[in-house]
Amino acid sequence: CDSFAVSPIARDIIETASLVNGAGVGIELTRAKHHANDPYFLQPMDGVDSTGYRASWWTQFYCILWRSWLSVLKDPMLVKVRLLQTAMVASLIGSIYFGQVLDQDGVMNINGSLFLFLTNMTFQNVFAVINVFSAELPVFLREKRSRLYRVDTYFLGKTIAELPLFIAVPFVFTSITYPMIGLKAGVSHYLTTLFIVTLVANVSTSFGYLISCA
């Protein structure tokens, strides 16, 4: 580095760079054209479109989705712990409210179980993602400044890569607690409950992402 700093090439580069901030626009343009063919002169990058990105939106999205999916697969223990934790909590709630009947006390107990449905899916998913973006912020900022991808492709790719887990957790929870509590029988009623619980879980995940970004 020291040898290069005192070399003739380094002096030429310093002179060329000073053209940008020097006085005399016409003289600068003339001298810049003189250096335009030099290998060290900063030329426009090939393959960069008007938006400043080398890759298209779909290419960025695909690469971020694939990288995020590999990140999920590289930590299977986390997925197993999440599912095991959900199964244990569901079994506990199902044991507390086991076999409710439709009388006055049963209706009140079922209301309490539904409240636990919502609170468990809410807080469990909020706290599961509250550190996601803050942990990856340095890498994201570096790659964003390098114009590797947009913010929307990063967010969508990472969210969709983790979507299967946030569908599996409500499925495990509802499949255990629904029959144990003795909620209304029937496949359509079960699927309706599963759909609502899944929506609650994913809305809570989005709120956790909001807190993480903030």
Side-chain angles (χ1 to χ4, degrees):
C1 293
D2 294 337
S3 299
F4 175 77
V6 296
S7 66
I9 296 179
R11 289 195 295 270
D12 291 342
I13 292 177
I14 294 175
E15 292 177 1
T16 304
S18 65
L19 296 178
V20 178
N21 297 321
V25 177
I27 298 176
E28 290 178 7
L29 292 176
T30 303
R31 296 180 64 183
K33 291 179 182 178
H34 174 70
H35 291 283
N37 296 323
D38 293 342
Y40 51 81
F41 192 86
L42 294 178
Q43 302 289 345
M45 292 188 299
D46 296 330
V48 178
D49 58 12
S50 59
T51 61
Y53 297 97
R54 290 182 179 271
S56 64
W57 191 95
W58 287 108
T59 303
Q60 297 175 34
F61 173 73
Y62 172 78
C63 292
I64 293 296
L65 178 62
W66 179 247
R67 187 176 73 173
S68 301
W69 178 245
L70 290 179
S71 178
V72 173
L73 295 180
K74 286 180 180 178
D75 198 1
M77 183 57 65
L78 179 62
V79 177
K80 294 178 182 178
V81 169
R82 285 287 308 278
L83 295 178
L84 179 61
Q85 175 188 3
T86 302
M88 293 176 63
V89 173
S91 299
L92 177 62
I93 296 176
S95 300
I96 295 174
Y97 294 97
F98 185 79
Q100 297 298 318
V101 295
L102 290 179
D103 54 15
Q104 185 63 36
D105 293 335
V107 170
M108 297 298 295
N109 292 334
I110 289 175
N111 285 337
S113 66
L114 294 179
F115 173 77
L116 289 180
F117 263 68
L118 300 179
T119 55
N120 182 72
M121 284 295 98
T122 299
F123 292 106
Q124 179 181 352
N125 289 283
V126 166
F127 291 121
V129 300
I130 202 167
N131 290 322
V132 168
F133 290 119
S134 57
E136 298 185 5
L137 186 60
V139 175
F140 167 75
L141 291 178
R142 183 178 70 245
E143 295 178 343
K144 178 66 173 63
R145 293 190 186 108
S146 299
R147 310 293 286 176
L148 295 181
Y149 48 75
R150 312 163 196 263
V151 177
D152 55 346
T153 54
Y154 172 79
F155 179 81
L156 291 175
K158 187 163 185 62
T159 303
I160 295 176
E162 297 177 350
L163 187 61
L165 178 61
F166 295 118
I167 294 178
V169 168
F171 174 77
V172 171
F173 183 83
T174 307
S175 299
I176 295 175
T177 54
Y178 196 93
M180 290 185 68
I181 297 174
L183 298 178
K184 193 170 184 178
V187 176
S188 61
H189 303 300
Y190 164 76
L191 293 178
T192 302
T193 304
L194 178 61
F195 177 71
I196 294 174
V197 173
T198 302
L199 286 181
V200 171
N202 284 273
V203 169
S204 303
T205 302
S206 299
F207 184 69
Y209 284 147
L210 172 63
I211 298 176
S212 182
C213 292

